[in-house]
Amino acid sequence: MNYSGYAHIHTIGCQMNVYDSEKLGTVLNALGYQPTPDPEQADIIVCNTCAVRHKAEEKAFSFLGRFARDKQKKPHLITVMAGCVAQQEGNNAFQRLPHLDLVLGTQAFSRFSRHIEALKSGQRRITDTDPSDVIFEALPDDTAFAENPVSKFVTIMQGCDNFCTYCVVPYVRGRERSRPWQSIVEEIKVLADNGIREVTLLGQNVNSYGAKENSLSFAGLLEKVAAVDGIHRIRFATSHPKDLSEELIQAMAKLNKVCNHLHLPVQSGADRILKKMNRGYTRELYLSRIDALRSAIPDIGLSTDIIVGFPSETVSDFEDTMALVEQVGFDSIFAFAYSDRSFAPAARFSDPVDEAEKMARLNRLLAFQDTVTRKKNEQMTGRVLRVLVEGVSAKQHDGFVKTTPHTRQMTGRSETNKVVHFPSDTLTPGDLADVRIDNAYPHSLWGQPLEQMFQ
Ligand code: 5AD
Ligand code: SF4
């Protein structure tokens, strides 16, 4: 098959990877490649990988494995494994994927362009897992590989120093380091000039932004970002309960552009397990942070991450988690069955929980949260939510066609990150609109816009 000039980037895992993939896309664009959603068409295939859970790692190997045969038909095809699994595996990746061309570790992205050029001039099997300290700096903004026309992720920190015992991140993403605030604000100004209205500031533990460098605090950074014209909304992830300061809570309450939503991973509701996880807080401290947040920001939306079946977790520990989830009443949760990560210490902890028992606990937790999410969504009916319009809904809703003269169904998100669908022929992506909620479904809300707010 002939050279087509197309590149396909497949992203697995977290928001950080979505951001990194867009930056890799910018590099490929500068080298003359256009994006294609169809890997069959591509001359370069990049899989940006995640090593946080076993399942994500397997997905990366199976995705890249599919192209061994294509390479026989298309010898110029370049296949790249990027990100956390690449960093973790290094040269070992070639054992399972002999056809792979480049293993690009988490701190090697600034050398991506150079490696692609080397591959094009005939080099094979390049591995770059050098732990350089350089943060992947903002490149000229280029939306060719972007997924959302109004909302973007922006990395503000890399790495992590917390060493939770189940987690591979500190080993594959290195030590925590913060990006200078000037560089962050510069990138966000360029995004705003290009029509972006919402930014999500990303780091493994954004609450400790600037702490090591003794520079601006995270609350201070929020103020700087809020001062950028054209940006309507600011979100951030992920926060660590042990570092959630009163200063940050007050900044969230004060700054209108900062969304009333917080993702605050609790991981477990049992003190014994929190200690074994090395989380650095107790159940009581976590609950007191939730109280402080709710008294400063009464309608705050809350979400969390939970691991079930951590080594030695008893039924009673799990019940503590269930009780905490019930007590807090999260808007949504992300729950995972614990899986061993060979670099992380918990892989060597005794007393593993049986796989079937893990799945039973996970299903019970998820089923319970479904009822809570449903109830929370139902409580939204009749309320007016401010929505940032993202685009036309992928799904059509029959009710609209019957009840309104509009044919176009738009979609956006509330401040608390709920998906809201509504009919409108005038609102366009990037607008803020007040939408009265008429119907609640498990994963979305449907309503009518009251009026267009501003553009
Ligand atoms: N097993 C299961 N879940 C994990 N997470 C991190 N490491 C593991 C692991 N070894 C979950 C945590 C974290 C989220 C991103 O992934 O809940 O917050
Ligand atoms: Fe992993 Fe803990 Fe760091 Fe989060 S805070 S990235 S869970 S080590």
Side-chain angles (χ1 to χ4, degrees), residues 52-53 166-168 265 267 305-307 334 336-341:
V52 162
R53 285 175 297 277
Y166 52 79
C167 187
V168 76
Q267 311 298 0
D305 287 349
I306 290 172
I307 297 176
F334 299 86
F336 312 100
Y338 168 79
S339 63
D340 276 341
R341 310 282 61 220

Side-chain angles (χ1 to χ4, degrees), residues 52 159-171 173 176 203-205 238-243 265 267 277-279 305 307:
V52 162
C160 184
D161 286 350
N162 286 317
F163 294 94
C164 301
T165 53
Y166 52 79
C167 187
V168 76
V169 168
Y171 307 94
R173 291 221 181 233
E176 182 176 295
Q204 304 298 339
N205 180 14
T238 291
S239 297
H240 196 303
K242 76 176 167 55
D243 300 318
Q267 311 298 0
M277 287 176 163
N278 191 31
R279 288 292 288 172
D305 287 349
I307 297 176

Side-chain angles (χ1 to χ4, degrees), residues 160-301:
C160 184
D161 286 350
N162 286 317
F163 294 94
C164 301
T165 53
Y166 52 79
C167 187
V168 76
V169 168
Y171 307 94
V172 291
R173 291 221 181 233
R175 293 293 68 72
E176 182 176 295
R177 51 219 181 272
S178 297
R179 182 174 163 190
W181 68 263
Q182 294 88 341
S183 150
I184 297 167
V185 170
E186 259 333 290
E187 178 167 357
I188 293 173
K189 279 185 180 158
V190 174
L191 294 176
D193 288 346
N194 284 310
I196 295 298
R197 297 289 165 255
E198 176 181 87
V199 286
T200 303
L201 309 178
L202 295 177
Q204 304 298 339
N205 180 14
V206 294
N207 305 156
S208 60
Y209 174 82
K212 255 177 148 174
E213 292 78 6
N214 213 357
S215 66
L216 199 65
S217 69
F218 184 58
L221 178 67
L222 286 178
E223 296 231 12
K224 299 273 186 207
V225 177
V228 176
D229 284 340
I231 294 297
H232 294 334
R233 281 184 167 178
I234 304 164
R235 300 184 187 278
F236 53 88
T238 291
S239 297
H240 196 303
K242 76 176 167 55
D243 300 318
L244 180 65
S245 66
E246 196 51 39
E247 185 201 14
L248 175 57
I249 296 176
Q250 292 312 322
M252 287 181 74
K254 184 181 86 179
L255 296 168
N256 282 337
K257 289 186 183 180
V258 176
C259 287
N260 289 346
H261 178 256
L262 190 69
H263 182 65
L264 196 63
V266 65
Q267 311 298 0
S268 169
D271 282 342
R272 197 178 65 82
I273 297 295
L274 286 171
K275 198 153 186 219
K276 288 194 121 187
M277 287 176 163
N278 191 31
R279 288 292 288 172
Y281 56 85
T282 58
R283 172 194 181 94
E284 193 188 337
L285 188 126
Y286 184 87
L287 291 171
S288 78
R289 295 287 75 200
I290 297 288
D291 285 347
L293 280 160
R294 283 193 164 140
S295 59
I297 312 158
D299 59 350
I300 191 166

Side-chain angles (χ1 to χ4, degrees), residues 400-416:
F400 283 155
V401 182
K402 290 186 204 111
T403 57
T404 78
H406 299 287
T407 49
R408 220 171 52 146
Q409 290 159 32
M410 304 297 287
T411 183
R413 272 168 205 275
S414 72
E415 261 197 64
T416 56

